[in-house]
Amino acid sequence: MPDVAPPEFALLTLENGLRVQLRHDPRLKRAAAALRVAAGSHDVDPAWPGLAHFLEHLFFLGTTRYSGDHALMPFVQRHGGQLNASTRERTTDFFFELPTESFPGALERLCEMLAHPRLDRQDQLREREVLHAEFIAWSRDPQARHLQWLTAPLAANHPLRAFHAGNRYSLPVPREAFQHSLLAFYQRFYQAAQMTLSLAGPQPLEELRALAEKAGGLLRPGAASPRLPSPPLLDQPPAAIEPADPSRLNLVFACQQIPGDSASAVDFLTTWLVSAQPGGLLAELQRRGLVEALSLTPLYDFDGQVVLNIEFKLTAACQQPRALISELCLDWLEFFQSHDDWQGLCDEYHLLSQRRQLVRTALELARRDSEHFGQGGATHVSAEALTALRAILGQLRADTILHGPLIRSEAGSDVKWRLPQRNRFLRPSRRPAQPVATPACLDIISTAQPPGHEACLYLRWRIKSAQRAGLWRMLDHSLAKLREEASQAGVQLAFTSLGDDWQLRLCGVQDPMPALVEQALENLVHPAPEIWRQLGQLNAPAPLIPIRELLKRLPEHSLGYYQPPSRGRDEQLQAPALQRLWHTARWDGMALGLTPATTQALNVVLAKMPGHADTSLCQPPLPLHGRTWSQVPTDSGEQALLLFCPAAGEQIIDQAAWQLLAQLCQSPFYQRMRVELQLGYAVFSGFRQVAGRPGLLFGVQSPSTPMAEILEHLQAFLHTLPALVRAQSGNTLNEQCRDLAARTSLSDMELSQAAESLWQARLGGHSSDFIEQLRKAFGRLRSDALQQAIGQLLEAQAGWLCLANGPAVDESWQVAQ
């Protein structure tokens, strides 16, 4: 693997009390900030539930200095970044990621909005309605109800049992007492000594330090405000409560007086508890056909109190053996605890932590540094973490399960547990001695600079089989263990289905990729016997909120696959059908960033590729015609709608115009739909490449607005676009084009982003120099090209596709068949 320069760290405290951690990582392309406030929903006066979350929303309404299009959110959107915030029980986090050129402006706006929020009461009344819409969605969410069930046995006076979401009734904006509490909470906690700031980027430490000092100095100075400890987690022995969801089993433990670094301890325990390696808990439960998946999640971690949820996703065939699963889990925990020092696992954890740091984005690194502030990116398991781990394991017993008591099985456990083996993909692989030619159907694209340690690989099969949906589900399940091993080795491995195509994608550290592809092909062509035995036992995926379900289904619908494939009877699938499928399959692929050595190792593996190499698979998708409405039923009572408007014109300059138009739309669309009309909390727009088809995508989910009214507002917005573009000065448009061009180059784009753009372009029939051609096209754009794009959009020259969870609103739409 090519040498990777290690990151550098610095810690400092500004004069106003703000503590700052800096990370200089030369491999990064973008910069990120994560600001944490040591206050959350549990620190609010109980008289005003949701106040902390409400205040977090109010910050984004802008300041006197930065308002409207100059506020933080429009600024980040305009410069191609991402931004979000999160109010949790004891912390509130604000975080964003941007190209380095625009990073200083965003950091200054973040600190400015926290130092000088505009708490206008009319703004509060409007934003309260957005929170109320979120509350309605939360109250209907099965996962939210399940979380309430998980914590129901806790002490009644513990804040985890209380309501904190906030709605129009718990946030009485006109009342002076509420305004007094809102201001008091802000003044007490939103000052520098109550905050930490973590910056990560490719800039030198000196530059990051200067940015932190300039922006962080805007924050109000103060002294750290101590917070009241939480009451005990339990005030009486936990009582059994009937589970609401029969498809999963939850073992919830309330651990108290945990010393040391509990967050790192839980992360270490999770890594090995959920491992699918032979001899482990998950492998044993899957061997018996009891569970599909296993997870461990901390529900709470503050001041020595840790609430852990071990969740088992049960198979369809697993009806009653909950006591057996619980007993096997407790037996494994006792086995794990008996090893005490875990030296071998600590060494392995160090290796996989190092590997993960090599592929984390700037935002992921900044957020992790914020979560583990002051540790300087340490990858070793500390003595404090091991102390916390021992204390936690000591409290994970049968008599401490919240939803107990556990009815013990008669058989007991005689399993011979083993600690997880070393991950073979974390070690160097053997390279071929003789060169092998690259397949003609694999497009190897080099980056504009010497290859680094990361790469992306796409392999695609064109499949013809009436049973392809059931076979894909089975094969995707067969890759579960390999996905985990790949993730630990710094590679994201995904196997997806789109129309008649199956796709295997690997992105991350390139050194283990040939070995991962070799193992993946073995799993896909010759699934293990237990995979065949588990056919028919897998449950349907958990339902998503409506807008996410629509986004998931959009690629298939854009290709004309309007109905999901029937699940059929997977247990009737047989090996001969799979072998016939592979015999007639055709394949091609693309790779970005591979070194010559990795390419050679991959060529050897691809010599065993199932199917027939085919250089003619990349044909542009057939154009859409007219306005098509496709209904996607969901279980929610909320209205959700996606409008996808493919770009008209086949030239790259046409795509450049539509991409610029999408950027100009983003902030006004959000302002109109979410802020002014208050249609709902899930409102977005942007440019998307969908199954090789570029275009504009608009999305709205509303708890109360009728579908016809949502669409009416959306179409009315589209008719404001000619005036919106005319109002832009020539200098503004030129600046936007320069900004887009600067973000569109292989040398400045994140590798995964560049690879996905090139793959989508390939699906659309473009050549491998698409990104460079697009960058040059931005330099040639003029306002008349934008006006032409608007005309094509309003006339639906390339068609419109509307996905919604309700029927067509009128007869002007052609209902998808």
Side-chain angles (χ1 to χ4, degrees):
M1 185 169 69
D3 292 334
V4 182
E8 299 175 6
F9 298 90
L11 283 170
L12 61 145
T13 302
L14 304 189
E15 291 183 0
N16 59 4
L18 178 68
R19 291 176 296 146
V20 180
Q21 178 166 296
L22 310 174
R23 176 193 288 260
H24 159 66
D25 193 334
R27 72 172 182 84
L28 296 175
K29 303 290 182 66
R30 294 155 75 91
L35 189 147
R36 168 162 286 191
V37 183
S41 57
H42 290 189
D43 298 298
V44 168
D45 184 337
W48 318 112
L51 184 147
H53 184 204
F54 183 51
L55 182 60
E56 173 222 303
H57 274 240
L58 296 179
F59 286 121
F60 287 95
L61 300 182
T63 65
T64 301
R65 184 180 176 193
Y66 296 115
S67 61
D69 280 349
H70 300 287
L72 176 62
M73 185 175 291
F75 181 88
V76 171
Q77 291 174 337
R78 189 164 59 248
H79 291 90
Q82 54 179 316
L83 161 75
N84 213 333
S86 171
T87 302
R88 296 195 50 81
E89 294 85 4
R90 292 292 190 166
T91 56
T92 305
D93 294 302
F94 302 84
F95 43 92
F96 65 83
E97 181 186 76
L98 274 170
T100 55
E101 296 78 11
S102 45
F103 181 73
L107 185 60
E108 185 167 327
R109 282 166 170 79
L110 172 63
C111 294
E112 171 76 16
M113 80 180 195
L114 298 182
H116 303 288
R118 192 178 61 202
L119 302 179
D120 179 80
R121 293 201 188 185
Q122 290 302 313
D123 289 344
Q124 290 186 39
L125 288 170
R126 284 194 297 269
E127 198 61 27
R128 184 182 66 175
E129 294 310 300
V130 175
L131 250 74
H132 192 73
E134 288 188 8
F135 161 74
I136 293 174
W138 172 84
S139 64
R140 295 171 175 171
D141 181 17
Q143 181 60 29
R145 292 195 294 270
H146 184 67
L147 183 60
Q148 289 179 304
W149 175 81
L150 292 177
T151 57
L154 295 176
N157 65 336
H158 196 280
L160 271 176
R161 291 282 308 279
F163 166 73
H164 299 287
N167 57 30
R168 68 166 65 111
Y169 308 110
S170 72
L171 303 168
V173 169
R175 290 181 56 181
E176 290 302 325
F178 174 79
Q179 292 295 325
H180 176 78
S181 289
L182 180 68
L183 186 60
F185 183 84
Y186 167 72
Q187 291 176 337
R188 178 183 175 188
F189 293 117
Y190 279 83
Q191 38 90 2
Q194 201 74 16
M195 302 176 180
T196 60
L197 176 64
S198 300
L199 305 184
Q203 305 97 314
L205 286 178
E206 295 76 12
E207 183 177 338
L208 292 173
R209 179 190 297 267
L211 291 173
E213 290 174 344
K214 180 182 178 182
L218 297 172
L219 297 168
R220 183 166 49 89
S225 179
R227 294 179 287 169
L228 294 175
S230 294
L233 287 166
L234 298 171
D235 55 6
Q236 59 185 358
I241 302 177
E242 190 68 24
D245 186 351
S247 70
R248 48 186 168 179
L249 166 65
N250 297 89
L251 302 183
V252 184
F253 300 88
C255 306
Q256 306 195 74
Q257 299 180 339
I258 302 300
D261 183 2
S262 55
S264 296
V266 171
D267 189 64
F268 181 79
L269 174 60
T270 303
T271 300
W272 309 120
L273 176 70
V274 305
S275 172
Q277 293 282 1
L281 177 62
L282 179 58
E284 178 64 22
L285 293 173
Q286 288 181 332
R287 184 187 70 80
R288 300 186 185 208
L290 299 177
V291 307
E292 292 181 26
L294 164 63
S295 64
L296 188 156
T297 307
L299 302 179
Y300 189 71
D301 186 351
F302 179 75
D303 197 26
Q305 294 185 346
V306 180
V307 181
L308 297 180
N309 172 35
I310 302 178
E311 179 167 298
F312 304 86
K313 184 179 180 183
L314 307 178
T315 61
C318 179
Q319 300 295 326
Q320 297 301 325
R322 293 171 175 263
L324 175 60
I325 296 173
S326 303
E327 191 161 314
L328 288 171
C329 178
L330 292 169
D331 195 52
W332 183 89
L333 288 169
E334 186 177 335
F335 158 79
F336 187 80
Q337 183 183 15
S338 68
H339 285 76
D340 194 56
D341 66 346
W342 307 283
Q343 185 58 54
L345 294 185
C346 287
D347 294 340
E348 188 76 359
Y349 184 84
H350 170 60
L351 285 178
L352 68 90
S353 297
Q354 285 184 318
R355 186 62 65 87
R356 286 171 175 167
Q357 291 216 33
L358 291 178
V359 293
R360 284 194 171 112
T361 65
L363 184 58
E364 290 169 340
L365 290 170
R367 294 200 67 188
R368 184 166 181 82
D369 288 346
S370 181
E371 185 76 29
H372 302 273
F373 191 84
Q375 295 185 8
T379 55
H380 289 284
V381 183
S382 67
E384 292 79 7
L386 292 178
T387 298
L389 178 61
R390 294 185 182 99
I392 290 171
L393 288 170
Q395 298 187 40
L396 304 186
R397 306 185 310 271
D399 59 336
T400 61
I401 298 175
L402 289 194
H403 293 275
L406 172 64
I407 302 174
R408 305 190 66 86
S409 65
E410 297 178 1
S413 172
D414 57 355
V415 180
K416 303 299 182 184
W417 303 111
R418 300 201 309 270
L419 291 177
Q421 302 169 350
R422 300 197 313 171
N423 188 328
R424 56 193 160 141
F425 301 112
L426 282 168
R427 276 84 188 167
S429 303
R430 191 173 56 189
R431 297 305 190 189
Q434 299 296 325
V436 177
T438 300
C441 64
L442 180 66
D443 190 5
I444 304 286
I445 304 174
S446 61
T447 55
Q449 51 197 4
H453 66 283
E454 293 182 83
C456 281
L457 172 66
Y458 292 77
L459 298 173
R460 172 180 58 161
W461 292 270
R462 181 67 46 83
I463 301 298
K464 294 295 183 182
S465 171
Q467 296 179 306
R468 67 178 181 274
L471 289 170
W472 174 82
R473 282 192 295 271
M474 183 266 291
L475 294 178
D476 184 55
H477 179 60
S478 78
L479 293 174
K481 177 175 176 289
L482 186 63
R483 268 194 295 268
E484 177 211 328
E485 293 178 304
S487 178
Q488 290 183 351
V491 180
Q492 295 303 311
L493 185 151
F495 183 57
T496 56
S497 175
L498 176 61
D500 291 333
D501 292 347
W502 289 351
Q503 176 185 298
L504 183 68
R505 180 181 186 268
L506 292 87
C507 193
V509 177
Q510 62 174 289
D511 191 60
M513 282 187 181
L516 284 166
V517 172
E518 184 175 31
Q519 185 60 60
L521 295 182
E522 176 66 23
N523 291 13
L524 293 174
V525 178
H526 303 292
E530 60 266 23
I531 299 297
W532 291 104
R533 288 197 298 269
Q534 292 168 5
L535 287 173
Q537 297 181 6
L538 303 181
N539 290 294
L544 302 172
I545 66 169
I547 199 73
R548 289 179 181 167
E549 183 65 30
L550 298 183
L551 287 167
K552 176 183 175 182
R553 301 277 289 276
L554 177 61
E556 294 269 352
H557 284 241
S558 73
L559 295 177
Y561 293 84
Y562 298 119
Q563 297 299 325
S566 172
R567 286 190 63 87
R569 295 183 59 107
D570 287 356
E571 62 269 23
Q572 295 180 353
L573 298 174
Q574 296 183 356
L578 179 62
Q579 298 312 311
R580 288 194 299 271
L581 179 149
W582 287 124
H583 181 71
T584 59
R586 295 175 293 149
W587 75 274
D588 69 353
M590 185 200 82
L592 177 67
L594 293 180
T595 64
T598 306
T599 301
Q600 279 300 308
L602 181 64
N603 290 344
V604 173
V605 173
L606 295 181
K608 306 171 186 176
M609 188 78 164
H612 307 278
D614 193 333
T615 58
S616 62
L617 293 184
C618 286
Q619 302 294 331
L622 295 175
L624 301 180
H625 297 287
R627 292 171 167 84
T628 302
W629 187 287
S630 186
Q631 182 177 354
V632 177
T634 63
D635 294 332
S636 172
E638 299 199 356
Q639 293 75 42
L641 177 148
L642 289 180
L643 180 63
F644 180 55
C645 307
E650 299 179 357
Q651 303 301 313
I652 291 182
I653 190 72
D654 299 318
Q655 177 164 330
W658 282 68
Q659 196 162 335
L660 176 58
L661 180 60
Q663 178 150 309
L664 293 173
C665 286
Q666 199 168 19
S667 291
F669 182 78
Y670 184 87
Q671 175 70 22
R672 179 60 180 159
M673 300 293 170
R674 185 184 183 277
V675 178
E676 297 174 12
L677 296 174
Q678 298 179 357
L679 295 186
Y681 61 95
V683 172
F684 59 87
S685 69
F687 184 83
R688 297 288 192 277
Q689 292 172 293
V690 180
R693 200 190 308 270
L696 269 63
L697 180 64
F698 302 91
V700 176
Q701 178 171 323
S702 175
S704 56
T705 307
M707 193 75 72
E709 192 174 330
I710 294 175
L711 187 62
E712 182 181 347
H713 287 310
L714 203 161
Q715 291 178 303
F717 172 81
L718 294 181
H719 282 90
T720 68
L721 294 182
L724 175 67
V725 171
R726 285 195 299 270
Q728 306 293 318
S729 68
N731 287 338
T732 299
L733 288 177
N734 290 336
E735 181 182 345
Q736 296 266 26
C737 288
R738 285 194 298 270
D739 188 60
L740 283 169
R743 304 199 313 255
T744 309
S745 70
L746 281 177
S747 58
D748 293 328
M749 296 172 73
E750 297 279 359
L751 191 76
S752 60
Q753 176 194 6
E756 184 62 22
S757 180
L758 287 170
W759 179 249
Q760 291 291 333
R762 178 183 175 88
L763 296 181
H766 293 288
S767 61
S768 59
D769 63 346
F770 167 79
I771 288 179
E772 178 61 20
Q773 291 187 45
L774 182 61
R775 186 186 68 80
K776 293 178 179 178
F778 286 126
R780 303 195 305 270
L781 270 185
R782 299 294 180 265
S783 60
D784 57 342
L786 273 180
Q787 293 291 357
Q788 179 182 352
I790 293 172
Q792 295 167 336
L793 168 64
L794 295 178
E795 295 172 9
Q797 287 190 11
W800 282 6
L801 173 60
C802 185
L803 264 70
N805 63 346
V809 296
D810 56 49
E811 295 180 355
S812 67
W813 292 87
Q814 178 182 348
V815 178
Q817 300 295 329

